Amino acid sequence: MRQDLLLNNVMNSIEHNLNFIRREIGDQAMLVAVSKNQPSEAVMEAYQAGQRVFGENRVQELLLKHPVLRPDIQWHLIGHLQTNKVKYIASFISMIQSVDSLKLLEEISAQALKNDRVIDCLLQMYIASEETKFGLDEGEVNDLLISIRQHPLSGVRICGLMGMATFTDDTDQIRKEFRGIKSFFNKFRSEFFREDPSFNQLSIGMSGDYLIAIEEGSTIVRIGTKIFGNR
Ligand SMILES: *Cc1c(COP(=O)(O)O)cnc(C)c1O
């Protein structure tokens, strides 16, 4: 490789970080690059390094970035979504990882059908010990799945579960929380998705805990800080 290109690569830290993380996770999990609070230039740098899947947690920010960035980017929504905002993203969103109510799921389905598409969704489960995080508990997921078994929603595909562990240095606690959501995943899959192979994703793991998450069965990791630096 030419020396100037080599130097350029070494100095491009987003590319460097991406390559480092890719080597660590191998083909065990899909990497969602979480670009919230990062400028479009940073997204483009990651794009140039081959990244195509990006995660945003706010609709407003997503709506600013989506039209100015490349059309082959797959955008995942990973933050709380208000029902009245679904219509703004339904035409292009690749996956909504943060579904936390039946009402929201019904609206996603309705808006997807208006756009002649089916939107991939994950149900967000509450697994952390903090009180501030959104998500469903085991009983609520169960009720939701019973309800859509009775009244199927043809505009959505339930692809699995998403969860965030407690923000702590206690790796035993993090591991315990990941094991918990993995066992819910197995249980719901065998109770509700025996005939439906699309329920196959477990989105756990962020910058501080993705290696533990992969050991515990993650199929999607959502990493921001470790790629882009501090927000
Ligand atoms: C911000 C965020 C991430 C990424 O967090 P990092 O610690 O920066 O990797 C992952 N998932 C969700 C839901 C987030 O809000």
Side-chain angles (χ1 to χ4, degrees), residues 170-217:
D170 182 351
T171 56
D172 289 342
Q173 180 175 355
I174 293 169
R175 194 179 291 281
K176 212 170 76 197
E177 290 170 0
F178 286 158
R179 281 192 186 162
I181 193 172
K182 170 72 180 186
S183 78
F184 292 140
F185 173 85
N186 288 339
K187 172 176 172 259
F188 293 132
R189 188 173 53 178
S190 67
E191 282 180 22
F192 294 95
F193 297 94
R194 271 188 193 285
E195 318 285 315
D196 182 358
S198 52
F199 190 88
N200 61 5
Q201 302 292 340
L202 183 59
S203 176
I204 50 174
M206 307 176 19
S207 289
D209 55 24
Y210 63 96
L211 292 177
I212 302 174
I214 287 171
E215 284 171 10
E216 298 304 332

mmCIF file of all heavy atoms in Angstrom, residues 170-217:
data_model
loop_
_atom_site.group_PDB
_atom_site.id
_atom_site.type_symbol
_atom_site.label_atom_id
_atom_site.label_comp_id
_atom_site.label_asym_id
_atom_site.label_seq_id
_atom_site.Cartn_x
_atom_site.Cartn_y
_atom_site.Cartn_z
ATOM 1 N N ASP A 170 -19.807 -4.055 37.602
ATOM 2 C CA ASP A 170 -19.998 -5.401 38.138
ATOM 3 C C ASP A 170 -20.354 -6.369 37.005
ATOM 4 O O ASP A 170 -21.510 -6.516 36.626
ATOM 5 C CB ASP A 170 -21.115 -5.343 39.199
ATOM 6 C CG ASP A 170 -21.359 -6.696 39.854
ATOM 7 O OD1 ASP A 170 -20.802 -7.709 39.378
ATOM 8 O OD2 ASP A 170 -22.107 -6.726 40.842
ATOM 9 N N THR A 171 -19.333 -7.038 36.481
ATOM 10 C CA THR A 171 -19.563 -7.886 35.308
ATOM 11 C C THR A 171 -20.454 -9.092 35.630
ATOM 12 O O THR A 171 -21.148 -9.591 34.757
ATOM 13 C CB THR A 171 -18.231 -8.381 34.699
ATOM 14 O OG1 THR A 171 -17.494 -9.055 35.704
ATOM 15 C CG2 THR A 171 -17.419 -7.220 34.162
ATOM 16 N N ASP A 172 -20.438 -9.524 36.889
ATOM 17 C CA ASP A 172 -21.323 -10.635 37.260
ATOM 18 C C ASP A 172 -22.790 -10.233 37.119
ATOM 19 O O ASP A 172 -23.622 -11.013 36.646
ATOM 20 C CB ASP A 172 -21.077 -11.080 38.712
ATOM 21 C CG ASP A 172 -19.739 -11.783 38.855
ATOM 22 O OD1 ASP A 172 -19.190 -12.228 37.820
ATOM 23 O OD2 ASP A 172 -19.236 -11.870 39.993
ATOM 24 N N GLN A 173 -23.067 -9.001 37.540
ATOM 25 C CA GLN A 173 -24.442 -8.526 37.431
ATOM 26 C C GLN A 173 -24.857 -8.393 35.958
ATOM 27 O O GLN A 173 -25.953 -8.806 35.560
ATOM 28 C CB GLN A 173 -24.610 -7.171 38.129
ATOM 29 C CG GLN A 173 -26.048 -6.684 38.009
ATOM 30 C CD GLN A 173 -26.313 -5.403 38.783
ATOM 31 O OE1 GLN A 173 -25.459 -4.889 39.495
ATOM 32 N NE2 GLN A 173 -27.525 -4.881 38.654
ATOM 33 N N ILE A 174 -23.963 -7.827 35.136
ATOM 34 C CA ILE A 174 -24.254 -7.666 33.713
ATOM 35 C C ILE A 174 -24.523 -9.031 33.078
ATOM 36 O O ILE A 174 -25.511 -9.235 32.359
ATOM 37 C CB ILE A 174 -23.075 -6.960 32.995
ATOM 38 C CG1 ILE A 174 -22.951 -5.514 33.502
ATOM 39 C CG2 ILE A 174 -23.242 -7.013 31.485
ATOM 40 C CD1 ILE A 174 -21.680 -4.816 33.073
ATOM 41 N N ARG A 175 -23.654 -9.983 33.405
ATOM 42 C CA ARG A 175 -23.810 -11.329 32.845
ATOM 43 C C ARG A 175 -25.138 -11.957 33.265
ATOM 44 O O ARG A 175 -25.844 -12.573 32.463
ATOM 45 C CB ARG A 175 -22.630 -12.206 33.298
ATOM 46 C CG ARG A 175 -22.485 -13.492 32.528
ATOM 47 C CD ARG A 175 -21.285 -14.311 32.992
ATOM 48 N NE ARG A 175 -19.994 -13.714 32.658
ATOM 49 C CZ ARG A 175 -19.432 -13.773 31.445
ATOM 50 N NH1 ARG A 175 -20.043 -14.396 30.462
ATOM 51 N NH2 ARG A 175 -18.264 -13.219 31.217
ATOM 52 N N LYS A 176 -25.483 -11.742 34.514
ATOM 53 C CA LYS A 176 -26.738 -12.290 35.031
ATOM 54 C C LYS A 176 -27.937 -11.699 34.272
ATOM 55 O O LYS A 176 -28.883 -12.408 33.908
ATOM 56 C CB LYS A 176 -26.855 -11.969 36.534
ATOM 57 C CG LYS A 176 -27.601 -13.016 37.312
ATOM 58 C CD LYS A 176 -27.469 -12.786 38.826
ATOM 59 C CE LYS A 176 -28.345 -11.635 39.280
ATOM 60 N NZ LYS A 176 -28.014 -11.074 40.587
ATOM 61 N N GLU A 177 -27.873 -10.399 34.000
ATOM 62 C CA GLU A 177 -28.977 -9.751 33.288
ATOM 63 C C GLU A 177 -29.057 -10.259 31.837
ATOM 64 O O GLU A 177 -30.146 -10.499 31.311
ATOM 65 C CB GLU A 177 -28.802 -8.231 33.338
ATOM 66 C CG GLU A 177 -29.028 -7.684 34.745
ATOM 67 C CD GLU A 177 -28.641 -6.228 34.938
ATOM 68 O OE1 GLU A 177 -28.170 -5.580 33.976
ATOM 69 O OE2 GLU A 177 -28.799 -5.720 36.064
ATOM 70 N N PHE A 178 -27.900 -10.442 31.203
ATOM 71 C CA PHE A 178 -27.903 -10.975 29.836
ATOM 72 C C PHE A 178 -28.432 -12.414 29.807
ATOM 73 O O PHE A 178 -29.174 -12.795 28.907
ATOM 74 C CB PHE A 178 -26.495 -10.904 29.232
ATOM 75 C CG PHE A 178 -26.053 -9.513 28.846
ATOM 76 C CD1 PHE A 178 -24.695 -9.207 28.714
ATOM 77 C CD2 PHE A 178 -26.973 -8.500 28.588
ATOM 78 C CE1 PHE A 178 -24.275 -7.931 28.342
ATOM 79 C CE2 PHE A 178 -26.559 -7.221 28.214
ATOM 80 C CZ PHE A 178 -25.208 -6.943 28.095
ATOM 81 N N ARG A 179 -28.024 -13.202 30.806
ATOM 82 C CA ARG A 179 -28.553 -14.578 30.869
ATOM 83 C C ARG A 179 -30.055 -14.586 31.047
ATOM 84 O O ARG A 179 -30.767 -15.426 30.498
ATOM 85 C CB ARG A 179 -27.918 -15.349 32.032
ATOM 86 C CG ARG A 179 -26.558 -15.820 31.649
ATOM 87 C CD ARG A 179 -25.974 -16.825 32.599
ATOM 88 N NE ARG A 179 -24.605 -17.033 32.135
ATOM 89 C CZ ARG A 179 -23.637 -17.561 32.827
ATOM 90 N NH1 ARG A 179 -23.872 -17.988 34.063
ATOM 91 N NH2 ARG A 179 -22.445 -17.712 32.307
ATOM 92 N N GLY A 180 -30.523 -13.623 31.828
ATOM 93 C CA GLY A 180 -31.961 -13.514 32.061
ATOM 94 C C GLY A 180 -32.707 -13.268 30.761
ATOM 95 O O GLY A 180 -33.683 -13.963 30.439
ATOM 96 N N ILE A 181 -32.259 -12.304 29.974
ATOM 97 C CA ILE A 181 -32.990 -11.984 28.737
ATOM 98 C C ILE A 181 -32.834 -13.118 27.727
ATOM 99 O O ILE A 181 -33.754 -13.422 26.963
ATOM 100 C CB ILE A 181 -32.591 -10.607 28.161
ATOM 101 C CG1 ILE A 181 -33.603 -10.173 27.069
ATOM 102 C CG2 ILE A 181 -31.187 -10.572 27.631
ATOM 103 C CD1 ILE A 181 -33.426 -8.741 26.567
ATOM 104 N N LYS A 182 -31.691 -13.782 27.758
ATOM 105 C CA LYS A 182 -31.503 -14.920 26.844
ATOM 106 C C LYS A 182 -32.487 -16.047 27.188
ATOM 107 O O LYS A 182 -33.047 -16.696 26.295
ATOM 108 C CB LYS A 182 -30.054 -15.430 26.942
ATOM 109 C CG LYS A 182 -29.780 -16.739 26.229
ATOM 110 C CD LYS A 182 -29.773 -16.600 24.720
ATOM 111 C CE LYS A 182 -29.501 -17.954 24.085
ATOM 112 N NZ LYS A 182 -29.341 -17.937 22.653
ATOM 113 N N SER A 183 -32.737 -16.245 28.473
ATOM 114 C CA SER A 183 -33.680 -17.314 28.822
ATOM 115 C C SER A 183 -35.116 -16.918 28.478
ATOM 116 O O SER A 183 -35.910 -17.761 28.047
ATOM 117 C CB SER A 183 -33.509 -17.768 30.275
ATOM 118 O OG SER A 183 -34.098 -16.852 31.139
ATOM 119 N N PHE A 184 -35.446 -15.625 28.610
ATOM 120 C CA PHE A 184 -36.759 -15.165 28.120
ATOM 121 C C PHE A 184 -36.875 -15.382 26.612
ATOM 122 O O PHE A 184 -37.899 -15.818 26.096
ATOM 123 C CB PHE A 184 -36.977 -13.676 28.416
ATOM 124 C CG PHE A 184 -37.132 -13.354 29.868
ATOM 125 C CD1 PHE A 184 -36.545 -12.209 30.408
ATOM 126 C CD2 PHE A 184 -37.874 -14.173 30.712
ATOM 127 C CE1 PHE A 184 -36.690 -11.901 31.749
ATOM 128 C CE2 PHE A 184 -38.022 -13.862 32.066
ATOM 129 C CZ PHE A 184 -37.423 -12.723 32.581
ATOM 130 N N PHE A 185 -35.789 -15.052 25.923
ATOM 131 C CA PHE A 185 -35.771 -15.233 24.465
ATOM 132 C C PHE A 185 -36.084 -16.694 24.106
ATOM 133 O O PHE A 185 -36.943 -16.968 23.256
ATOM 134 C CB PHE A 185 -34.393 -14.816 23.923
ATOM 135 C CG PHE A 185 -34.185 -15.105 22.469
ATOM 136 C CD1 PHE A 185 -34.619 -14.222 21.492
ATOM 137 C CD2 PHE A 185 -33.553 -16.277 22.059
ATOM 138 C CE1 PHE A 185 -34.440 -14.498 20.146
ATOM 139 C CE2 PHE A 185 -33.375 -16.564 20.721
ATOM 140 C CZ PHE A 185 -33.824 -15.670 19.759
ATOM 141 N N ASN A 186 -35.409 -17.620 24.764
ATOM 142 C CA ASN A 186 -35.638 -19.051 24.470
ATOM 143 C C ASN A 186 -37.076 -19.454 24.768
ATOM 144 O O ASN A 186 -37.706 -20.193 24.009
ATOM 145 C CB ASN A 186 -34.677 -19.919 25.294
ATOM 146 C CG ASN A 186 -33.255 -19.823 24.788
ATOM 147 O OD1 ASN A 186 -33.015 -19.454 23.628
ATOM 148 N ND2 ASN A 186 -32.290 -20.136 25.638
ATOM 149 N N LYS A 187 -37.581 -18.931 25.883
ATOM 150 C CA LYS A 187 -38.925 -19.284 26.302
ATOM 151 C C LYS A 187 -39.968 -18.754 25.309
ATOM 152 O O LYS A 187 -40.843 -19.499 24.846
ATOM 153 C CB LYS A 187 -39.166 -18.698 27.690
ATOM 154 C CG LYS A 187 -40.584 -18.815 28.193
ATOM 155 C CD LYS A 187 -40.685 -18.282 29.624
ATOM 156 C CE LYS A 187 -42.125 -18.217 30.055
ATOM 157 N NZ LYS A 187 -42.727 -16.906 30.004
ATOM 158 N N PHE A 188 -39.848 -17.483 24.944
ATOM 159 C CA PHE A 188 -40.825 -16.911 24.011
ATOM 160 C C PHE A 188 -40.718 -17.575 22.642
ATOM 161 O O PHE A 188 -41.717 -17.804 21.972
ATOM 162 C CB PHE A 188 -40.642 -15.396 23.884
ATOM 163 C CG PHE A 188 -40.984 -14.656 25.144
ATOM 164 C CD1 PHE A 188 -40.125 -13.694 25.663
ATOM 165 C CD2 PHE A 188 -42.165 -14.930 25.829
ATOM 166 C CE1 PHE A 188 -40.435 -13.024 26.840
ATOM 167 C CE2 PHE A 188 -42.489 -14.264 27.007
ATOM 168 C CZ PHE A 188 -41.609 -13.313 27.520
ATOM 169 N N ARG A 189 -39.491 -17.871 22.237
ATOM 170 C CA ARG A 189 -39.335 -18.522 20.934
ATOM 171 C C ARG A 189 -40.043 -19.869 20.927
ATOM 172 O O ARG A 189 -40.747 -20.207 19.982
ATOM 173 C CB ARG A 189 -37.857 -18.692 20.589
ATOM 174 C CG ARG A 189 -37.659 -19.187 19.166
ATOM 175 C CD ARG A 189 -36.225 -19.194 18.742
ATOM 176 N NE ARG A 189 -35.395 -19.916 19.698
ATOM 177 C CZ ARG A 189 -34.105 -20.110 19.552
ATOM 178 N NH1 ARG A 189 -33.476 -19.629 18.498
ATOM 179 N NH2 ARG A 189 -33.417 -20.763 20.449
ATOM 180 N N SER A 190 -39.868 -20.643 22.005
ATOM 181 C CA SER A 190 -40.501 -21.969 21.959
ATOM 182 C C SER A 190 -42.007 -21.892 22.179
ATOM 183 O O SER A 190 -42.748 -22.739 21.702
ATOM 184 C CB SER A 190 -39.819 -22.931 22.934
ATOM 185 O OG SER A 190 -40.056 -22.523 24.241
ATOM 186 N N GLU A 191 -42.474 -20.847 22.876
ATOM 187 C CA GLU A 191 -43.924 -20.760 23.097
ATOM 188 C C GLU A 191 -44.698 -20.115 21.956
ATOM 189 O O GLU A 191 -45.863 -20.433 21.733
ATOM 190 C CB GLU A 191 -44.208 -19.986 24.391
ATOM 191 C CG GLU A 191 -43.990 -20.837 25.626
ATOM 192 C CD GLU A 191 -44.280 -20.075 26.910
ATOM 193 O OE1 GLU A 191 -45.025 -19.084 26.865
ATOM 194 O OE2 GLU A 191 -43.732 -20.482 27.948
ATOM 195 N N PHE A 192 -44.060 -19.171 21.270
ATOM 196 C CA PHE A 192 -44.808 -18.377 20.286
ATOM 197 C C PHE A 192 -44.280 -18.460 18.858
ATOM 198 O O PHE A 192 -44.957 -18.033 17.930
ATOM 199 C CB PHE A 192 -44.827 -16.898 20.705
ATOM 200 C CG PHE A 192 -45.597 -16.636 21.959
ATOM 201 C CD1 PHE A 192 -44.956 -16.583 23.189
ATOM 202 C CD2 PHE A 192 -46.972 -16.452 21.911
ATOM 203 C CE1 PHE A 192 -45.668 -16.338 24.358
ATOM 204 C CE2 PHE A 192 -47.689 -16.198 23.073
ATOM 205 C CZ PHE A 192 -47.036 -16.143 24.301
ATOM 206 N N PHE A 193 -43.040 -18.918 18.682
ATOM 207 C CA PHE A 193 -42.448 -18.810 17.346
ATOM 208 C C PHE A 193 -41.926 -20.152 16.824
ATOM 209 O O PHE A 193 -40.993 -20.192 16.033
ATOM 210 C CB PHE A 193 -41.321 -17.760 17.347
ATOM 211 C CG PHE A 193 -41.801 -16.363 17.663
ATOM 212 C CD1 PHE A 193 -41.765 -15.874 18.962
ATOM 213 C CD2 PHE A 193 -42.302 -15.538 16.653
ATOM 214 C CE1 PHE A 193 -42.213 -14.589 19.255
ATOM 215 C CE2 PHE A 193 -42.755 -14.251 16.940
ATOM 216 C CZ PHE A 193 -42.713 -13.777 18.246
ATOM 217 N N ARG A 194 -42.524 -21.235 17.251
ATOM 218 C CA ARG A 194 -42.080 -22.544 16.790
ATOM 219 C C ARG A 194 -42.078 -22.668 15.270
ATOM 220 O O ARG A 194 -41.220 -23.311 14.680
ATOM 221 C CB ARG A 194 -42.988 -23.638 17.369
ATOM 222 C CG ARG A 194 -42.510 -24.134 18.690
ATOM 223 C CD ARG A 194 -43.300 -25.340 19.152
ATOM 224 N NE ARG A 194 -43.011 -25.606 20.552
ATOM 225 C CZ ARG A 194 -41.868 -26.159 20.974
ATOM 226 N NH1 ARG A 194 -40.954 -26.521 20.117
ATOM 227 N NH2 ARG A 194 -41.664 -26.348 22.267
ATOM 228 N N GLU A 195 -43.074 -22.048 14.653
ATOM 229 C CA GLU A 195 -43.224 -22.160 13.195
ATOM 230 C C GLU A 195 -42.636 -20.943 12.473
ATOM 231 O O GLU A 195 -42.849 -20.778 11.287
ATOM 232 C CB GLU A 195 -44.713 -22.244 12.817
ATOM 233 C CG GLU A 195 -45.558 -23.134 13.708
ATOM 234 C CD GLU A 195 -45.291 -24.594 13.425
ATOM 235 O OE1 GLU A 195 -45.232 -24.940 12.228
ATOM 236 O OE2 GLU A 195 -45.117 -25.362 14.398
ATOM 237 N N ASP A 196 -42.010 -20.052 13.225
ATOM 238 C CA ASP A 196 -41.610 -18.767 12.639
ATOM 239 C C ASP A 196 -40.128 -18.473 12.904
ATOM 240 O O ASP A 196 -39.759 -17.942 13.946
ATOM 241 C CB ASP A 196 -42.484 -17.657 13.248
ATOM 242 C CG ASP A 196 -42.163 -16.288 12.657
ATOM 243 O OD1 ASP A 196 -41.242 -16.191 11.818
ATOM 244 O OD2 ASP A 196 -42.830 -15.313 13.062
ATOM 245 N N PRO A 197 -39.274 -18.823 11.932
ATOM 246 C CA PRO A 197 -37.831 -18.675 12.149
ATOM 247 C C PRO A 197 -37.357 -17.221 12.211
ATOM 248 O O PRO A 197 -36.201 -16.969 12.523
ATOM 249 C CB PRO A 197 -37.219 -19.394 10.936
ATOM 250 C CG PRO A 197 -38.281 -19.366 9.894
ATOM 251 C CD PRO A 197 -39.597 -19.388 10.630
ATOM 252 N N SER A 198 -38.255 -16.267 11.944
ATOM 253 C CA SER A 198 -37.776 -14.869 11.966
ATOM 254 C C SER A 198 -37.533 -14.349 13.383
ATOM 255 O O SER A 198 -36.870 -13.336 13.568
ATOM 256 C CB SER A 198 -38.732 -13.946 11.206
ATOM 257 O OG SER A 198 -40.044 -14.099 11.663
ATOM 258 N N PHE A 199 -38.019 -15.060 14.386
ATOM 259 C CA PHE A 199 -37.701 -14.663 15.770
ATOM 260 C C PHE A 199 -36.341 -15.259 16.121
ATOM 261 O O PHE A 199 -36.229 -16.365 16.652
ATOM 262 C CB PHE A 199 -38.781 -15.176 16.726
ATOM 263 C CG PHE A 199 -38.678 -14.625 18.132
ATOM 264 C CD1 PHE A 199 -39.303 -13.437 18.473
ATOM 265 C CD2 PHE A 199 -37.965 -15.299 19.119
ATOM 266 C CE1 PHE A 199 -39.219 -12.928 19.775
ATOM 267 C CE2 PHE A 199 -37.878 -14.793 20.418
ATOM 268 C CZ PHE A 199 -38.504 -13.612 20.742
ATOM 269 N N ASN A 200 -35.288 -14.535 15.764
ATOM 270 C CA ASN A 200 -33.942 -15.115 15.924
ATOM 271 C C ASN A 200 -32.871 -14.118 16.343
ATOM 272 O O ASN A 200 -31.679 -14.407 16.265
ATOM 273 C CB ASN A 200 -33.519 -15.821 14.624
ATOM 274 C CG ASN A 200 -33.457 -14.862 13.445
ATOM 275 O OD1 ASN A 200 -33.645 -13.653 13.622
ATOM 276 N ND2 ASN A 200 -33.195 -15.366 12.261
ATOM 277 N N GLN A 201 -33.289 -12.929 16.794
ATOM 278 C CA GLN A 201 -32.288 -11.916 17.151
ATOM 279 C C GLN A 201 -32.363 -11.541 18.633
ATOM 280 O O GLN A 201 -33.449 -11.326 19.174
ATOM 281 C CB GLN A 201 -32.512 -10.624 16.326
ATOM 282 C CG GLN A 201 -32.470 -10.811 14.823
ATOM 283 C CD GLN A 201 -31.093 -11.166 14.298
ATOM 284 O OE1 GLN A 201 -30.070 -10.922 14.958
ATOM 285 N NE2 GLN A 201 -31.036 -11.739 13.109
ATOM 286 N N LEU A 202 -31.184 -11.453 19.228
ATOM 287 C CA LEU A 202 -31.077 -10.977 20.601
ATOM 288 C C LEU A 202 -30.098 -9.815 20.604
ATOM 289 O O LEU A 202 -28.886 -9.998 20.409
ATOM 290 C CB LEU A 202 -30.589 -12.109 21.521
ATOM 291 C CG LEU A 202 -30.491 -11.763 23.010
ATOM 292 C CD1 LEU A 202 -31.837 -11.324 23.581
ATOM 293 C CD2 LEU A 202 -29.937 -12.941 23.794
ATOM 294 N N SER A 203 -30.637 -8.597 20.749
ATOM 295 C CA SER A 203 -29.811 -7.390 20.683
ATOM 296 C C SER A 203 -29.394 -6.982 22.084
ATOM 297 O O SER A 203 -30.125 -6.296 22.802
ATOM 298 C CB SER A 203 -30.599 -6.263 20.000
ATOM 299 O OG SER A 203 -29.846 -5.058 19.998
ATOM 300 N N ILE A 204 -28.216 -7.453 22.485
ATOM 301 C CA ILE A 204 -27.644 -7.064 23.780
ATOM 302 C C ILE A 204 -26.172 -6.754 23.571
ATOM 303 O O ILE A 204 -25.522 -7.354 22.711
ATOM 304 C CB ILE A 204 -27.815 -8.151 24.871
ATOM 305 C CG1 ILE A 204 -27.349 -9.536 24.375
ATOM 306 C CG2 ILE A 204 -29.256 -8.225 25.366
ATOM 307 C CD1 ILE A 204 -27.349 -10.621 25.460
ATOM 308 N N GLY A 205 -25.652 -5.816 24.357
ATOM 309 C CA GLY A 205 -24.237 -5.473 24.287
ATOM 310 C C GLY A 205 -24.011 -4.083 23.729
ATOM 311 O O GLY A 205 -24.484 -3.755 22.649
ATOM 312 N N MET A 206 -23.302 -3.241 24.512
ATOM 313 C CA MET A 206 -22.930 -1.886 24.123
ATOM 314 C C MET A 206 -21.419 -1.751 24.321
ATOM 315 O O MET A 206 -20.753 -2.749 24.570
ATOM 316 C CB MET A 206 -23.711 -0.874 24.986
ATOM 317 C CG MET A 206 -25.191 -1.156 24.940
ATOM 318 S SD MET A 206 -26.322 -0.155 25.958
ATOM 319 C CE MET A 206 -25.462 1.321 26.378
ATOM 320 N N SER A 207 -20.902 -0.529 24.223
ATOM 321 C CA SER A 207 -19.444 -0.354 24.292
ATOM 322 C C SER A 207 -18.794 -1.039 25.496
ATOM 323 O O SER A 207 -17.729 -1.629 25.370
ATOM 324 C CB SER A 207 -19.084 1.137 24.331
ATOM 325 O OG SER A 207 -19.326 1.712 23.076
ATOM 326 N N GLY A 208 -19.449 -0.952 26.653
ATOM 327 C CA GLY A 208 -18.818 -1.458 27.866
ATOM 328 C C GLY A 208 -19.005 -2.946 28.120
ATOM 329 O O GLY A 208 -18.334 -3.506 28.983
ATOM 330 N N ASP A 209 -19.927 -3.572 27.383
ATOM 331 C CA ASP A 209 -20.255 -4.958 27.774
ATOM 332 C C ASP A 209 -20.497 -5.907 26.591
ATOM 333 O O ASP A 209 -21.044 -6.987 26.773
ATOM 334 C CB ASP A 209 -21.466 -4.961 28.723
ATOM 335 C CG ASP A 209 -22.695 -4.243 28.155
ATOM 336 O OD1 ASP A 209 -22.809 -4.140 26.911
ATOM 337 O OD2 ASP A 209 -23.546 -3.791 28.949
ATOM 338 N N TYR A 210 -20.056 -5.519 25.399
ATOM 339 C CA TYR A 210 -20.424 -6.351 24.242
ATOM 340 C C TYR A 210 -19.727 -7.704 24.223
ATOM 341 O O TYR A 210 -20.274 -8.667 23.667
ATOM 342 C CB TYR A 210 -20.223 -5.605 22.915
ATOM 343 C CG TYR A 210 -18.814 -5.197 22.592
ATOM 344 C CD1 TYR A 210 -18.008 -5.985 21.780
ATOM 345 C CD2 TYR A 210 -18.291 -4.013 23.089
ATOM 346 C CE1 TYR A 210 -16.718 -5.591 21.458
ATOM 347 C CE2 TYR A 210 -17.004 -3.615 22.780
ATOM 348 C CZ TYR A 210 -16.216 -4.410 21.971
ATOM 349 O OH TYR A 210 -14.945 -4.023 21.657
ATOM 350 N N LEU A 211 -18.537 -7.794 24.840
ATOM 351 C CA LEU A 211 -17.875 -9.105 24.827
ATOM 352 C C LEU A 211 -18.617 -10.097 25.727
ATOM 353 O O LEU A 211 -18.793 -11.265 25.376
ATOM 354 C CB LEU A 211 -16.402 -8.972 25.238
ATOM 355 C CG LEU A 211 -15.544 -8.227 24.211
ATOM 356 C CD1 LEU A 211 -14.114 -8.052 24.708
ATOM 357 C CD2 LEU A 211 -15.558 -8.930 22.849
ATOM 358 N N ILE A 212 -19.089 -9.590 26.871
ATOM 359 C CA ILE A 212 -19.917 -10.441 27.746
ATOM 360 C C ILE A 212 -21.200 -10.826 27.014
ATOM 361 O O ILE A 212 -21.635 -11.980 27.029
ATOM 362 C CB ILE A 212 -20.284 -9.703 29.059
ATOM 363 C CG1 ILE A 212 -19.029 -9.267 29.804
ATOM 364 C CG2 ILE A 212 -21.155 -10.587 29.946
ATOM 365 C CD1 ILE A 212 -19.318 -8.401 31.040
ATOM 366 N N ALA A 213 -21.793 -9.834 26.328
ATOM 367 C CA ALA A 213 -23.055 -10.084 25.620
ATOM 368 C C ALA A 213 -22.886 -11.196 24.584
ATOM 369 O O ALA A 213 -23.741 -12.080 24.455
ATOM 370 C CB ALA A 213 -23.545 -8.796 24.954
ATOM 371 N N ILE A 214 -21.784 -11.159 23.860
ATOM 372 C CA ILE A 214 -21.565 -12.180 22.826
ATOM 373 C C ILE A 214 -21.389 -13.553 23.467
ATOM 374 O O ILE A 214 -21.950 -14.544 22.995
ATOM 375 C CB ILE A 214 -20.366 -11.785 21.939
ATOM 376 C CG1 ILE A 214 -20.797 -10.629 21.031
ATOM 377 C CG2 ILE A 214 -19.874 -12.965 21.118
ATOM 378 C CD1 ILE A 214 -19.691 -9.994 20.257
ATOM 379 N N GLU A 215 -20.672 -13.592 24.576
ATOM 380 C CA GLU A 215 -20.548 -14.875 25.291
ATOM 381 C C GLU A 215 -21.908 -15.407 25.722
ATOM 382 O O GLU A 215 -22.117 -16.613 25.810
ATOM 383 C CB GLU A 215 -19.669 -14.710 26.538
ATOM 384 C CG GLU A 215 -18.193 -14.620 26.232
ATOM 385 C CD GLU A 215 -17.369 -14.232 27.464
ATOM 386 O OE1 GLU A 215 -17.916 -14.212 28.597
ATOM 387 O OE2 GLU A 215 -16.174 -13.944 27.291
ATOM 388 N N GLU A 216 -22.835 -14.485 25.982
ATOM 389 C CA GLU A 216 -24.153 -14.897 26.473
ATOM 390 C C GLU A 216 -25.202 -15.008 25.361
ATOM 391 O O GLU A 216 -26.394 -15.096 25.627
ATOM 392 C CB GLU A 216 -24.629 -13.938 27.573
ATOM 393 C CG GLU A 216 -23.717 -13.910 28.805
ATOM 394 C CD GLU A 216 -23.508 -15.291 29.447
ATOM 395 O OE1 GLU A 216 -24.396 -16.153 29.323
ATOM 396 O OE2 GLU A 216 -22.430 -15.495 30.050
ATOM 397 N N GLY A 217 -24.774 -14.963 24.117
ATOM 398 C CA GLY A 217 -25.702 -15.271 23.029
ATOM 399 C C GLY A 217 -26.218 -14.094 22.225
ATOM 400 O O GLY A 217 -27.179 -14.233 21.465
#
